[in-house]
Amino acid sequence: MMKLKYLNLFPICGVLAAPLAILAATADFTATTTNTPNIPVKSVEYDKEDDAIEVDFSSRVMVMPTGKVTVVDDTGEDYGAYVKGHDADELDLNITNLRPNKKYTITIPDIKNEDASNYGTLTIEFTMPISTTD
């Protein structure tokens, strides 16, 4: 499943510009939560332009700044991800060298729903989408 995001450009100095596609592919995924109530994940997207994974949540979450996010492939190779940014319902991970159609596991420790009392771990397994362009 491929999803494209568009940045609409408005007329600048009387010139109309066509929409510019920013490649962002939505990945198929499963998510499990341990030691805290379920954290509903809405989507996992790969942004090719920024080499980043965006995890969107269906509820407000809190993440401890000391937690180290990991991304490993199905052979156990670690891809050295780090949190690029986050807000109440989104987490952006900077990561490079992911390959299309390969399975990966993101582990996010020290995360909870905003109203939960305990922090836990969220594990997301996803398959990297196949891009149709370079």
Side-chain angles (χ1 to χ4, degrees):
M1 172 187 328
M2 177 69 83
K3 178 172 123 180
L4 292 179
K5 289 185 177 180
Y6 291 96
L7 171 64
N8 290 318
L9 300 178
F10 295 98
I12 300 172
C13 300
V15 177
L16 276 176
L20 170 67
I22 299 175
L23 290 178
T26 302
D28 292 327
F29 69 92
T30 59
T32 56
T33 308
T34 55
N35 300 326
T36 192
N38 183 49
I39 298 171
V41 176
K42 184 171 27 174
S43 66
V44 176
E45 294 181 347
Y46 173 67
D47 185 334
K48 183 175 181 176
E49 183 175 281
D50 292 336
D51 247 355
I53 296 287
E54 179 181 301
V55 180
D56 290 311
F57 302 100
S58 298
S59 65
R60 296 174 64 86
V61 298
M62 296 178 69
V63 180
M64 297 280 285
T66 55
K68 177 167 177 358
V69 173
T70 59
V71 177
V72 297
D73 64 19
D74 52 2
T75 67
E77 182 179 347
D78 191 330
Y79 284 78
Y82 67 89
V83 176
K84 181 174 159 178
H86 68 86
D87 59 27
D89 64 352
E90 178 182 304
L91 188 67
D92 297 319
L93 306 174
N94 191 358
I95 184 159
T96 58
N97 300 321
L98 297 182
R99 293 186 297 278
N101 208 30
K102 188 162 177 76
K103 292 184 181 188
Y104 296 92
T105 301
I106 302 171
T107 303
I108 306 168
D110 302 325
I111 187 170
K112 69 174 189 158
N113 285 313
E114 183 179 57
D115 58 354
S117 56
N118 296 334
Y119 283 89
T121 300
L122 175 63
T123 303
I124 302 169
E125 295 179 352
F126 72 99
T127 301
M128 183 69 175
I130 299 173
S131 177
T132 57
T133 62
D134 292 329

